[in-house]
Amino acid sequence: MLGGPGRLAQSGLYEATDPYYAFSCKVQRTSKFIGGDQPLLEAELSFDKADFGLGDSRLWKNASASSYFEGGATGAVSRTQAWVLLPTDCAREIRPASQRADVPVLKMNLIRGHSNPAALARAAVSTAQHVAKGLGCADPTALNMPSRLQGPTDDTAPADTCGIKGFRLPEAALFKGKAEPGTARATGHGSRTRVCEVMLQGPGDPRITLSVSNDPAITEGVRRDETATQGSGRTVTACSSGALYVAVSFNDAYRDVLLDRGKDAYDTARSALFDSYRQAVGEDYGCPPGAE
């Protein structure tokens, strides 16, 4: 994955006896014959919410631009980042004092350079398998290599925002000159996890991220999180076909647009967005109206 001439240099830090066990490791290709920055890969095992990578995050941005794993482990990858969820019961083995909502996550970042997403996905899953095996907490089927990656597609049809038939952003979430309808990018249909980013027209590049998943690793993890409620914009709905995770998040530019209009406008827009999106994806996934 770190192709090219030179040698691999590795550094790491972990403490296996620490009850808050985690580690980080850096791998870099170096050569005294090649000038300039060489590829640098950082891997870490940390603890986070099961849906940490599905919304708008300062460290894990552009979730809609990632490719999501299908037919194996739960995770996502781009040309510079990858994450893999370890089995939820690993948290108890790895970190006895962990919060109920915490799940172990193997994260990889290419700090310099980029990689083929398929190669980075293989490296991330292989590392997750190795870590889980070493800790004795691996479900043999939970960390299989994905059979394929489901990548993003552009969506410029406002009548079917995010590829959901008939779905449009509610009027309460739009503001003339500040946040007007734009384009969207979403992972394609056929994926257990779908993330759509709506790029609105307005100052500062306001964006709304809409996420949905019926992946048990995500729905079960989020269900253990008491902060995951309709009011927080992320929750798990019980449907006849199984549990469905639904979430809405904003970037800072869109949040500022709402806050400039006061708390009532903020709450109204967030509620309207969440309710309309949950209803739309609920119909798409065969969930009864008003399901909780």
Side-chain angles (χ1 to χ4, degrees):
M1 184 178 64
L2 298 181
R7 65 184 182 86
L8 293 179
Q10 178 176 318
S11 63
L13 176 66
Y14 72 96
E15 178 52 67
T17 60
D18 187 342
Y20 297 96
Y21 178 88
F23 77 82
S24 64
C25 174
K26 293 182 179 180
V27 180
Q28 183 175 17
R29 181 166 291 285
T30 62
S31 173
K32 63 182 180 180
F33 302 109
I34 301 176
D37 292 337
Q38 298 300 305
L40 174 62
L41 174 68
E42 183 175 53
E44 67 171 322
L45 175 69
S46 60
F47 296 82
D48 219 319
K49 301 290 191 290
D51 60 336
F52 84 98
L54 304 184
D56 182 76
S57 164
R58 286 179 174 84
L59 294 178
W60 293 80
K61 298 180 179 180
N62 302 326
S64 65
S66 295
S67 296
Y68 289 81
F69 298 176
E70 292 302 315
T74 296
V77 64
S78 67
R79 297 183 72 191
T80 58
Q81 292 182 313
W83 57 265
V84 183
L85 297 187
L86 273 68
T88 54
D89 61 357
C90 281
R92 191 176 300 107
E93 300 293 332
I94 303 171
R95 192 181 186 189
S98 64
Q99 297 295 318
R100 175 175 169 78
D102 288 345
V103 298
V105 188
L106 190 286
K107 303 174 183 176
M108 279 191 169
N109 277 283
L110 271 170
I111 299 172
R112 291 195 292 270
H114 60 264
S115 174
N116 180 299
L120 189 55
R122 288 193 298 271
V125 175
S126 178
T127 303
Q129 291 171 342
H130 178 75
V131 170
K133 182 179 180 181
L135 294 168
C137 62
D139 175 344
T141 64
L143 292 174
N144 289 341
M145 285 289 176
S147 58
R148 67 184 180 89
L149 301 177
Q150 177 63 65
T153 59
D154 289 330
D155 170 20
T156 58
D160 294 318
T161 302
C162 299
I164 303 170
K165 186 176 181 180
F167 173 62
R168 299 190 183 193
L169 297 180
E171 289 298 322
L174 301 172
F175 303 93
K176 188 173 182 180
K178 298 290 185 179
E180 299 190 35
T183 60
R185 177 181 57 203
T187 49
H189 283 282
S191 175
R192 294 177 299 181
T193 299
R194 300 189 67 220
V195 180
C196 176
E197 187 173 31
V198 183
M199 284 75 77
L200 299 169
Q201 298 181 44
D205 191 26
R207 299 185 178 210
I208 299 169
T209 302
L210 308 169
S211 308
V212 62
S213 179
N214 59 5
D215 185 331
I218 292 174
T219 58
E220 291 173 12
V222 174
R223 263 187 168 158
R224 303 190 310 180
D225 183 0
E226 294 179 358
T227 69
T229 64
Q230 180 174 343
S232 70
R234 49 190 286 270
T235 190
V236 175
T237 294
C239 300
S240 57
S241 58
L244 187 69
Y245 164 81
V246 181
V248 175
S249 59
F250 318 137
N251 71 350
D252 289 341
Y254 183 72
R255 186 175 289 107
D256 289 343
V257 169
L258 297 182
L259 292 175
D260 284 346
R261 282 157 177 74
K263 186 177 184 302
D264 288 345
Y266 180 93
D267 291 341
T268 298
R270 183 173 65 176
S271 178
L273 271 169
F274 185 83
D275 290 344
S276 61
Y277 180 61
R278 185 175 64 168
Q279 180 178 347
V281 295
E283 293 175 359
D284 213 24
Y285 284 81
C287 302
E292 286 286 353

